[in-house]
mmCIF file with all atom_site columns, all heavy atoms in Angstrom:
data_model
loop_
_atom_site.group_PDB
_atom_site.id
_atom_site.type_symbol
_atom_site.label_atom_id
_atom_site.label_alt_id
_atom_site.label_comp_id
_atom_site.label_asym_id
_atom_site.label_entity_id
_atom_site.label_seq_id
_atom_site.pdbx_PDB_ins_code
_atom_site.Cartn_x
_atom_site.Cartn_y
_atom_site.Cartn_z
_atom_site.occupancy
_atom_site.B_iso_or_equiv
_atom_site.pdbx_formal_charge
_atom_site.auth_seq_id
_atom_site.auth_comp_id
_atom_site.auth_asym_id
_atom_site.auth_atom_id
_atom_site.pdbx_PDB_model_num
ATOM 1  N N   . VAL A 1 41 ? -34.593 70.634 60.506 1.00 0.00 ? 41 VAL A N   1
ATOM 2  C CA  . VAL A 1 41 ? -34.965 71.936 59.956 1.00 0.00 ? 41 VAL A CA  1
ATOM 3  C C   . VAL A 1 41 ? -35.238 72.922 61.088 1.00 0.00 ? 41 VAL A C   1
ATOM 4  O O   . VAL A 1 41 ? -34.761 74.060 61.069 1.00 0.00 ? 41 VAL A O   1
ATOM 5  C CB  . VAL A 1 41 ? -36.191 71.796 59.025 1.00 0.00 ? 41 VAL A CB  1
ATOM 6  C CG1 . VAL A 1 41 ? -36.761 73.168 58.678 1.00 0.00 ? 41 VAL A CG1 1
ATOM 7  C CG2 . VAL A 1 41 ? -35.811 71.044 57.761 1.00 0.00 ? 41 VAL A CG2 1
ATOM 8  N N   . LEU A 1 42 ? -36.004 72.436 62.098 1.00 0.00 ? 42 LEU A N   1
ATOM 9  C CA  . LEU A 1 42 ? -36.305 73.294 63.238 1.00 0.00 ? 42 LEU A CA  1
ATOM 10 C C   . LEU A 1 42 ? -35.010 73.748 63.907 1.00 0.00 ? 42 LEU A C   1
ATOM 11 O O   . LEU A 1 42 ? -34.835 74.913 64.244 1.00 0.00 ? 42 LEU A O   1
ATOM 12 C CB  . LEU A 1 42 ? -37.160 72.542 64.257 1.00 0.00 ? 42 LEU A CB  1
ATOM 13 C CG  . LEU A 1 42 ? -38.649 72.463 63.949 1.00 0.00 ? 42 LEU A CG  1
ATOM 14 C CD1 . LEU A 1 42 ? -39.342 71.619 65.000 1.00 0.00 ? 42 LEU A CD1 1
ATOM 15 C CD2 . LEU A 1 42 ? -39.248 73.859 63.912 1.00 0.00 ? 42 LEU A CD2 1
ATOM 16 N N   . ARG A 1 43 ? -34.120 72.764 64.089 1.00 0.00 ? 43 ARG A N   1
ATOM 17 C CA  . ARG A 1 43 ? -32.850 73.035 64.738 1.00 0.00 ? 43 ARG A CA  1
ATOM 18 C C   . ARG A 1 43 ? -32.089 74.114 63.968 1.00 0.00 ? 43 ARG A C   1
ATOM 19 O O   . ARG A 1 43 ? -31.565 75.046 64.550 1.00 0.00 ? 43 ARG A O   1
ATOM 20 C CB  . ARG A 1 43 ? -32.017 71.747 64.767 1.00 0.00 ? 43 ARG A CB  1
ATOM 21 C CG  . ARG A 1 43 ? -31.214 71.566 66.017 1.00 0.00 ? 43 ARG A CG  1
ATOM 22 C CD  . ARG A 1 43 ? -30.681 70.160 66.056 1.00 0.00 ? 43 ARG A CD  1
ATOM 23 N NE  . ARG A 1 43 ? -29.359 70.122 65.472 1.00 0.00 ? 43 ARG A NE  1
ATOM 24 C CZ  . ARG A 1 43 ? -28.236 70.047 66.194 1.00 0.00 ? 43 ARG A CZ  1
ATOM 25 N NH1 . ARG A 1 43 ? -28.308 69.992 67.509 1.00 0.00 ? 43 ARG A NH1 1
ATOM 26 N NH2 . ARG A 1 43 ? -27.071 70.021 65.624 1.00 0.00 ? 43 ARG A NH2 1
ATOM 27 N N   . TYR A 1 44 ? -32.109 73.944 62.655 1.00 0.00 ? 44 TYR A N   1
ATOM 28 C CA  . TYR A 1 44 ? -31.401 74.890 61.819 1.00 0.00 ? 44 TYR A CA  1
ATOM 29 C C   . TYR A 1 44 ? -32.008 76.279 61.940 1.00 0.00 ? 44 TYR A C   1
ATOM 30 O O   . TYR A 1 44 ? -31.311 77.274 62.003 1.00 0.00 ? 44 TYR A O   1
ATOM 31 C CB  . TYR A 1 44 ? -31.447 74.422 60.360 1.00 0.00 ? 44 TYR A CB  1
ATOM 32 C CG  . TYR A 1 44 ? -30.829 75.384 59.390 1.00 0.00 ? 44 TYR A CG  1
ATOM 33 C CD1 . TYR A 1 44 ? -29.453 75.458 59.289 1.00 0.00 ? 44 TYR A CD1 1
ATOM 34 C CD2 . TYR A 1 44 ? -31.620 76.219 58.617 1.00 0.00 ? 44 TYR A CD2 1
ATOM 35 C CE1 . TYR A 1 44 ? -28.861 76.360 58.423 1.00 0.00 ? 44 TYR A CE1 1
ATOM 36 C CE2 . TYR A 1 44 ? -31.041 77.120 57.753 1.00 0.00 ? 44 TYR A CE2 1
ATOM 37 C CZ  . TYR A 1 44 ? -29.662 77.191 57.652 1.00 0.00 ? 44 TYR A CZ  1
ATOM 38 O OH  . TYR A 1 44 ? -29.090 78.077 56.802 1.00 0.00 ? 44 TYR A OH  1
ATOM 39 N N   . ARG A 1 45 ? -33.367 76.324 61.975 1.00 0.00 ? 45 ARG A N   1
ATOM 40 C CA  . ARG A 1 45 ? -34.025 77.632 62.002 1.00 0.00 ? 45 ARG A CA  1
ATOM 41 C C   . ARG A 1 45 ? -33.855 78.332 63.330 1.00 0.00 ? 45 ARG A C   1
ATOM 42 O O   . ARG A 1 45 ? -33.801 79.549 63.395 1.00 0.00 ? 45 ARG A O   1
ATOM 43 C CB  . ARG A 1 45 ? -35.501 77.467 61.657 1.00 0.00 ? 45 ARG A CB  1
ATOM 44 C CG  . ARG A 1 45 ? -35.652 77.227 60.174 1.00 0.00 ? 45 ARG A CG  1
ATOM 45 C CD  . ARG A 1 45 ? -37.057 77.132 59.713 1.00 0.00 ? 45 ARG A CD  1
ATOM 46 N NE  . ARG A 1 45 ? -38.002 77.992 60.410 1.00 0.00 ? 45 ARG A NE  1
ATOM 47 C CZ  . ARG A 1 45 ? -39.289 78.016 60.098 1.00 0.00 ? 45 ARG A CZ  1
ATOM 48 N NH1 . ARG A 1 45 ? -39.736 77.247 59.149 1.00 0.00 ? 45 ARG A NH1 1
ATOM 49 N NH2 . ARG A 1 45 ? -40.105 78.793 60.753 1.00 0.00 ? 45 ARG A NH2 1
#
Side-chain angles (χ1 to χ4, degrees):
Chain A
V41 168
L42 279 177
R43 217 168 93 103
Y44 176 77
R45 285 183 35 180

